């Protein structure tokens, strides 16, 4: 257990290798393109821009509890993609960073750190975009948006919890990458982003019990100051996401040496 605890400590300790990857693979990934670093801002925000454009073109003319539908959807998308990005990043870790692992000697802790930094950066960019969309729509900006990064954090942890476990299997069963990619896209429609799921049958009840669905809904209720928000319920989800992430790191540490033999 001592090795696993040391690995957990390493994941949470700042790593120069993680910063090197962040500069090279995130900040400079569009180097040489005409728009350059502007793509760093555009790519994470495309779904938010599109839905707000539809509102501007009056395709979305309705509101949800007096919140413009574009703002309502954008908030849900922002929270959900914190999960989806983490899920795919964790799943792809061994394949995407194969050269760093085998040739450059990068530690797995640094690779996890880099991927977390990348996901959090994209989330912050989306929040900045959402604030701009608030101004364009004329909807009053609440100080509660300052805690939106905190509301996204459990989704990030849940995403990496599942992704890192899948990541141990991907070098052996590469098809898992495609399955996860498809699932992360279609789960968007069962995550409460577009509308709350009615509690009318057992299947819908199952979808409503998903932690990601609850986090999307609870985050939106909090941001728009709706009485349905439960700080107690959100706290339970936050604690569960932390425990799940720590457990996944322990399992990841125990399985990584076996995985290396398949790279």
């Amino acid at each position: 257990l001592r090795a696993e605890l040391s690995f957990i400590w390493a994941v949470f300790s700042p790593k120069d290798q993680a910063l090197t990857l962040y500069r090279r693979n995130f900040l400079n990934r569009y180097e040489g393109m005409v728009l350059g670093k502007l793509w760093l801002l555009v790519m994470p925000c495309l779904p938010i821009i599109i839905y707000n454009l539809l509102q501007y073109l009056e395709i979305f003319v309705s509101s949800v509890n007096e919140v413009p539908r574009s703002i309502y959807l954008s908030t849900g998308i922002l929270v959900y993609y914190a999960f989806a990005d983490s899920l795919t990043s964790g799943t792809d870790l061994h394949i995407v960073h194969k050269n760093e692992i085998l040739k450059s000697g990068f530690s797995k802790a640094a690779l996890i750190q880099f991927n977390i930094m990348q996901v959090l950066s994209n989330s912050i960019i989306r929040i900045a975009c959402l604030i701009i969309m608030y101004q364009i729509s004329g909807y009053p900006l609440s100080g509660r948006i300052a805690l939106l990064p905190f509301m996204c954090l459990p989704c990030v942890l849940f995403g990496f919890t599942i992704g890192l476990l899948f990541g141990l299997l991907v070098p052996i069963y590469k098809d898992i990458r495609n399955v996860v990619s498809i699932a992360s896209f279609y789960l968007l429609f069962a995550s409460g982003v577009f509308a709350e799921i009615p509690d009318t049958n057992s299947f819908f009840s199952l979808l409503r019990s998903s932690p990601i669905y609850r986090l999307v809904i609870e985050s939106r209720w909090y941001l728009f100051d709706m009485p349905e928000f439960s700080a107690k319920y959100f706290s339970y989800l936050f604690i569960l996401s932390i425990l799940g992430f720590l457990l996944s790191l322990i399992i990841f540490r125990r399985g990584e040496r076996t995985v290396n033999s398949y790279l």
Side-chain angles (χ1 to χ4, degrees), residues 109-137:
L111 296 176
I112 293 173
Q113 243 182 55
F114 158 68
N115 279 281
I116 292 174
M117 291 165 62
Q118 184 174 238
V119 170
L120 291 178
S121 295
N122 283 331
S123 294
I124 291 171
I125 290 170
R126 291 188 183 108
I127 292 172
C129 180
L130 180 63
I131 292 173
I132 294 172
M133 296 308 168
Y134 263 86
Q135 303 303 316
I136 294 174
S137 69

mmCIF file of all heavy atoms in Angstrom, residues 109-137:
data_model
loop_
_atom_site.group_PDB
_atom_site.id
_atom_site.type_symbol
_atom_site.label_atom_id
_atom_site.label_comp_id
_atom_site.label_asym_id
_atom_site.label_seq_id
_atom_site.Cartn_x
_atom_site.Cartn_y
_atom_site.Cartn_z
ATOM 1 N N ALA A 109 2.476 9.668 -13.070
ATOM 2 C CA ALA A 109 1.888 10.740 -12.256
ATOM 3 C C ALA A 109 1.896 12.063 -13.024
ATOM 4 O O ALA A 109 0.925 12.827 -13.002
ATOM 5 C CB ALA A 109 2.649 10.885 -10.940
ATOM 6 N N ALA A 110 3.007 12.356 -13.720
ATOM 7 C CA ALA A 110 3.103 13.587 -14.512
ATOM 8 C C ALA A 110 2.116 13.572 -15.665
ATOM 9 O O ALA A 110 1.521 14.609 -16.001
ATOM 10 C CB ALA A 110 4.526 13.765 -15.034
ATOM 11 N N LEU A 111 1.911 12.402 -16.281
ATOM 12 C CA LEU A 111 0.967 12.301 -17.391
ATOM 13 C C LEU A 111 -0.466 12.537 -16.920
ATOM 14 O O LEU A 111 -1.244 13.216 -17.587
ATOM 15 C CB LEU A 111 1.082 10.919 -18.050
ATOM 16 C CG LEU A 111 2.423 10.599 -18.714
ATOM 17 C CD1 LEU A 111 2.426 9.173 -19.245
ATOM 18 C CD2 LEU A 111 2.721 11.585 -19.845
ATOM 19 N N ILE A 112 -0.803 11.988 -15.765
ATOM 20 C CA ILE A 112 -2.142 12.227 -15.201
ATOM 21 C C ILE A 112 -2.308 13.701 -14.871
ATOM 22 O O ILE A 112 -3.343 14.308 -15.155
ATOM 23 C CB ILE A 112 -2.354 11.346 -13.954
ATOM 24 C CG1 ILE A 112 -2.398 9.865 -14.343
ATOM 25 C CG2 ILE A 112 -3.653 11.734 -13.236
ATOM 26 C CD1 ILE A 112 -2.428 8.915 -13.158
ATOM 27 N N GLN A 113 -1.266 14.273 -14.260
ATOM 28 C CA GLN A 113 -1.298 15.699 -13.929
ATOM 29 C C GLN A 113 -1.535 16.559 -15.170
ATOM 30 O O GLN A 113 -2.364 17.474 -15.160
ATOM 31 C CB GLN A 113 0.028 16.106 -13.288
ATOM 32 C CG GLN A 113 -0.106 16.581 -11.866
ATOM 33 C CD GLN A 113 1.235 17.022 -11.309
ATOM 34 O OE1 GLN A 113 1.912 17.876 -11.878
ATOM 35 N NE2 GLN A 113 1.608 16.431 -10.194
ATOM 36 N N PHE A 114 -0.807 16.259 -16.228
ATOM 37 C CA PHE A 114 -0.953 17.022 -17.469
ATOM 38 C C PHE A 114 -2.381 16.939 -17.993
ATOM 39 O O PHE A 114 -2.966 17.942 -18.395
ATOM 40 C CB PHE A 114 0.021 16.522 -18.530
ATOM 41 C CG PHE A 114 -0.394 16.865 -19.934
ATOM 42 C CD1 PHE A 114 -0.401 18.184 -20.378
ATOM 43 C CD2 PHE A 114 -0.828 15.872 -20.810
ATOM 44 C CE1 PHE A 114 -0.814 18.502 -21.667
ATOM 45 C CE2 PHE A 114 -1.224 16.182 -22.088
ATOM 46 C CZ PHE A 114 -1.228 17.500 -22.521
ATOM 47 N N ASN A 115 -2.944 15.745 -17.997
ATOM 48 C CA ASN A 115 -4.295 15.580 -18.526
ATOM 49 C C ASN A 115 -5.325 16.318 -17.679
ATOM 50 O O ASN A 115 -6.281 16.880 -18.205
ATOM 51 C CB ASN A 115 -4.635 14.090 -18.631
ATOM 52 C CG ASN A 115 -4.049 13.451 -19.871
ATOM 53 O OD1 ASN A 115 -4.563 13.582 -20.967
ATOM 54 N ND2 ASN A 115 -2.929 12.761 -19.708
ATOM 55 N N ILE A 116 -5.139 16.332 -16.366
ATOM 56 C CA ILE A 116 -6.039 17.093 -15.498
ATOM 57 C C ILE A 116 -5.912 18.584 -15.794
ATOM 58 O O ILE A 116 -6.920 19.305 -15.884
ATOM 59 C CB ILE A 116 -5.728 16.798 -14.016
ATOM 60 C CG1 ILE A 116 -6.105 15.348 -13.679
ATOM 61 C CG2 ILE A 116 -6.490 17.761 -13.104
ATOM 62 C CD1 ILE A 116 -5.712 14.917 -12.271
ATOM 63 N N MET A 117 -4.685 19.071 -15.954
ATOM 64 C CA MET A 117 -4.462 20.483 -16.271
ATOM 65 C C MET A 117 -5.137 20.862 -17.588
ATOM 66 O O MET A 117 -5.732 21.937 -17.718
ATOM 67 C CB MET A 117 -2.960 20.766 -16.353
ATOM 68 C CG MET A 117 -2.235 20.681 -15.016
ATOM 69 S SD MET A 117 -0.426 20.588 -15.206
ATOM 70 C CE MET A 117 -0.096 22.154 -16.005
ATOM 71 N N GLN A 118 -5.052 19.970 -18.556
ATOM 72 C CA GLN A 118 -5.635 20.214 -19.866
ATOM 73 C C GLN A 118 -7.155 20.314 -19.783
ATOM 74 O O GLN A 118 -7.771 21.230 -20.347
ATOM 75 C CB GLN A 118 -5.226 19.074 -20.795
ATOM 76 C CG GLN A 118 -5.673 19.208 -22.229
ATOM 77 C CD GLN A 118 -5.080 18.103 -23.092
ATOM 78 O OE1 GLN A 118 -4.394 18.385 -24.062
ATOM 79 N NE2 GLN A 118 -5.333 16.857 -22.748
ATOM 80 N N VAL A 119 -7.772 19.390 -19.042
ATOM 81 C CA VAL A 119 -9.230 19.387 -18.897
ATOM 82 C C VAL A 119 -9.695 20.633 -18.137
ATOM 83 O O VAL A 119 -10.672 21.279 -18.533
ATOM 84 C CB VAL A 119 -9.695 18.106 -18.178
ATOM 85 C CG1 VAL A 119 -11.172 18.205 -17.796
ATOM 86 C CG2 VAL A 119 -9.467 16.885 -19.059
ATOM 87 N N LEU A 120 -8.997 20.969 -17.058
ATOM 88 C CA LEU A 120 -9.380 22.153 -16.280
ATOM 89 C C LEU A 120 -9.217 23.429 -17.101
ATOM 90 O O LEU A 120 -10.045 24.354 -16.995
ATOM 91 C CB LEU A 120 -8.530 22.234 -15.005
ATOM 92 C CG LEU A 120 -8.798 21.149 -13.955
ATOM 93 C CD1 LEU A 120 -7.844 21.315 -12.774
ATOM 94 C CD2 LEU A 120 -10.243 21.194 -13.475
ATOM 95 N N SER A 121 -8.179 23.503 -17.927
ATOM 96 C CA SER A 121 -7.979 24.679 -18.784
ATOM 97 C C SER A 121 -9.141 24.849 -19.756
ATOM 98 O O SER A 121 -9.655 25.959 -19.949
ATOM 99 C CB SER A 121 -6.662 24.561 -19.553
ATOM 100 O OG SER A 121 -5.552 24.576 -18.684
ATOM 101 N N ASN A 122 -9.564 23.742 -20.377
ATOM 102 C CA ASN A 122 -10.693 23.809 -21.300
ATOM 103 C C ASN A 122 -11.972 24.237 -20.582
ATOM 104 O O ASN A 122 -12.783 25.000 -21.126
ATOM 105 C CB ASN A 122 -10.908 22.456 -21.986
ATOM 106 C CG ASN A 122 -9.906 22.200 -23.094
ATOM 107 O OD1 ASN A 122 -9.405 23.133 -23.724
ATOM 108 N ND2 ASN A 122 -9.608 20.939 -23.355
ATOM 109 N N SER A 123 -12.154 23.770 -19.349
ATOM 110 C CA SER A 123 -13.341 24.147 -18.581
ATOM 111 C C SER A 123 -13.333 25.637 -18.258
ATOM 112 O O SER A 123 -14.366 26.312 -18.355
ATOM 113 C CB SER A 123 -13.426 23.326 -17.286
ATOM 114 O OG SER A 123 -13.646 21.963 -17.560
ATOM 115 N N ILE A 124 -12.177 26.159 -17.887
ATOM 116 C CA ILE A 124 -12.070 27.596 -17.575
ATOM 117 C C ILE A 124 -12.325 28.432 -18.821
ATOM 118 O O ILE A 124 -12.986 29.481 -18.770
ATOM 119 C CB ILE A 124 -10.684 27.901 -16.966
ATOM 120 C CG1 ILE A 124 -10.588 27.267 -15.575
ATOM 121 C CG2 ILE A 124 -10.451 29.407 -16.880
ATOM 122 C CD1 ILE A 124 -9.200 27.309 -14.974
ATOM 123 N N ILE A 125 -11.824 27.977 -19.974
ATOM 124 C CA ILE A 125 -12.078 28.682 -21.233
ATOM 125 C C ILE A 125 -13.570 28.698 -21.541
ATOM 126 O O ILE A 125 -14.127 29.728 -21.959
ATOM 127 C CB ILE A 125 -11.295 28.022 -22.386
ATOM 128 C CG1 ILE A 125 -9.796 28.271 -22.215
ATOM 129 C CG2 ILE A 125 -11.768 28.552 -23.746
ATOM 130 C CD1 ILE A 125 -8.919 27.463 -23.157
ATOM 131 N N ARG A 126 -14.257 27.586 -21.308
ATOM 132 C CA ARG A 126 -15.704 27.530 -21.555
ATOM 133 C C ARG A 126 -16.467 28.448 -20.609
ATOM 134 O O ARG A 126 -17.451 29.070 -20.995
ATOM 135 C CB ARG A 126 -16.206 26.091 -21.405
ATOM 136 C CG ARG A 126 -15.717 25.149 -22.511
ATOM 137 C CD ARG A 126 -16.391 23.792 -22.412
ATOM 138 N NE ARG A 126 -15.859 22.881 -23.420
ATOM 139 C CZ ARG A 126 -15.053 21.859 -23.158
ATOM 140 N NH1 ARG A 126 -14.707 21.589 -21.904
ATOM 141 N NH2 ARG A 126 -14.609 21.084 -24.127
ATOM 142 N N ILE A 127 -16.004 28.537 -19.367
ATOM 143 C CA ILE A 127 -16.660 29.441 -18.412
ATOM 144 C C ILE A 127 -16.506 30.888 -18.863
ATOM 145 O O ILE A 127 -17.454 31.679 -18.789
ATOM 146 C CB ILE A 127 -16.083 29.234 -16.995
ATOM 147 C CG1 ILE A 127 -16.498 27.858 -16.466
ATOM 148 C CG2 ILE A 127 -16.556 30.327 -16.052
ATOM 149 C CD1 ILE A 127 -15.825 27.465 -15.161
ATOM 150 N N ALA A 128 -15.314 31.252 -19.338
ATOM 151 C CA ALA A 128 -15.092 32.606 -19.855
ATOM 152 C C ALA A 128 -16.015 32.879 -21.045
ATOM 153 O O ALA A 128 -16.590 33.978 -21.169
ATOM 154 C CB ALA A 128 -13.636 32.784 -20.261
ATOM 155 N N CYS A 129 -16.172 31.879 -21.899
ATOM 156 C CA CYS A 129 -17.076 32.012 -23.051
ATOM 157 C C CYS A 129 -18.516 32.188 -22.586
ATOM 158 O O CYS A 129 -19.264 33.010 -23.123
ATOM 159 C CB CYS A 129 -16.946 30.789 -23.952
ATOM 160 S SG CYS A 129 -18.000 30.821 -25.416
ATOM 161 N N LEU A 130 -18.906 31.426 -21.562
ATOM 162 C CA LEU A 130 -20.267 31.535 -21.030
ATOM 163 C C LEU A 130 -20.534 32.935 -20.475
ATOM 164 O O LEU A 130 -21.618 33.492 -20.677
ATOM 165 C CB LEU A 130 -20.472 30.485 -19.930
ATOM 166 C CG LEU A 130 -21.851 30.467 -19.268
ATOM 167 C CD1 LEU A 130 -22.944 30.120 -20.278
ATOM 168 C CD2 LEU A 130 -21.870 29.471 -18.104
ATOM 169 N N ILE A 131 -19.543 33.506 -19.809
ATOM 170 C CA ILE A 131 -19.698 34.866 -19.271
ATOM 171 C C ILE A 131 -19.938 35.861 -20.399
ATOM 172 O O ILE A 131 -20.784 36.762 -20.297
ATOM 173 C CB ILE A 131 -18.450 35.254 -18.442
ATOM 174 C CG1 ILE A 131 -18.389 34.408 -17.163
ATOM 175 C CG2 ILE A 131 -18.471 36.746 -18.102
ATOM 176 C CD1 ILE A 131 -17.112 34.592 -16.371
ATOM 177 N N ILE A 132 -19.206 35.689 -21.510
ATOM 178 C CA ILE A 132 -19.401 36.559 -22.679
ATOM 179 C C ILE A 132 -20.817 36.391 -23.221
ATOM 180 O O ILE A 132 -21.489 37.374 -23.580
ATOM 181 C CB ILE A 132 -18.354 36.257 -23.766
ATOM 182 C CG1 ILE A 132 -16.957 36.624 -23.265
ATOM 183 C CG2 ILE A 132 -18.679 37.001 -25.057
ATOM 184 C CD1 ILE A 132 -15.845 36.189 -24.196
ATOM 185 N N MET A 133 -21.302 35.156 -23.264
ATOM 186 C CA MET A 133 -22.642 34.895 -23.765
ATOM 187 C C MET A 133 -23.711 35.489 -22.855
ATOM 188 O O MET A 133 -24.775 35.902 -23.306
ATOM 189 C CB MET A 133 -22.863 33.393 -23.936
ATOM 190 C CG MET A 133 -21.955 32.758 -24.974
ATOM 191 S SD MET A 133 -22.013 33.634 -26.576
ATOM 192 C CE MET A 133 -20.611 32.899 -27.424
ATOM 193 N N TYR A 134 -23.432 35.532 -21.560
ATOM 194 C CA TYR A 134 -24.328 36.224 -20.628
ATOM 195 C C TYR A 134 -24.492 37.680 -21.058
ATOM 196 O O TYR A 134 -25.606 38.220 -21.109
ATOM 197 C CB TYR A 134 -23.735 36.189 -19.219
ATOM 198 C CG TYR A 134 -24.254 35.105 -18.306
ATOM 199 C CD1 TYR A 134 -23.686 33.838 -18.315
ATOM 200 C CD2 TYR A 134 -25.285 35.351 -17.411
ATOM 201 C CE1 TYR A 134 -24.127 32.838 -17.459
ATOM 202 C CE2 TYR A 134 -25.742 34.373 -16.549
ATOM 203 C CZ TYR A 134 -25.163 33.119 -16.571
ATOM 204 O OH TYR A 134 -25.609 32.137 -15.728
ATOM 205 N N GLN A 135 -23.352 38.331 -21.351
ATOM 206 C CA GLN A 135 -23.380 39.735 -21.716
ATOM 207 C C GLN A 135 -24.145 39.952 -23.018
ATOM 208 O O GLN A 135 -24.914 40.907 -23.163
ATOM 209 C CB GLN A 135 -21.951 40.272 -21.852
ATOM 210 C CG GLN A 135 -21.090 40.097 -20.607
ATOM 211 C CD GLN A 135 -21.697 40.752 -19.385
ATOM 212 O OE1 GLN A 135 -22.186 41.880 -19.440
ATOM 213 N NE2 GLN A 135 -21.686 40.035 -18.268
ATOM 214 N N ILE A 136 -23.938 39.060 -23.975
ATOM 215 C CA ILE A 136 -24.607 39.190 -25.261
ATOM 216 C C ILE A 136 -26.111 38.988 -25.122
ATOM 217 O O ILE A 136 -26.915 39.704 -25.738
ATOM 218 C CB ILE A 136 -24.024 38.175 -26.276
ATOM 219 C CG1 ILE A 136 -22.564 38.536 -26.590
ATOM 220 C CG2 ILE A 136 -24.856 38.143 -27.559
ATOM 221 C CD1 ILE A 136 -21.857 37.522 -27.467
ATOM 222 N N SER A 137 -26.510 38.017 -24.297
ATOM 223 C CA SER A 137 -27.941 37.710 -24.148
ATOM 224 C C SER A 137 -28.670 38.731 -23.291
ATOM 225 O O SER A 137 -29.892 38.845 -23.357
ATOM 226 C CB SER A 137 -28.110 36.317 -23.527
ATOM 227 O OG SER A 137 -27.684 36.314 -22.166
#
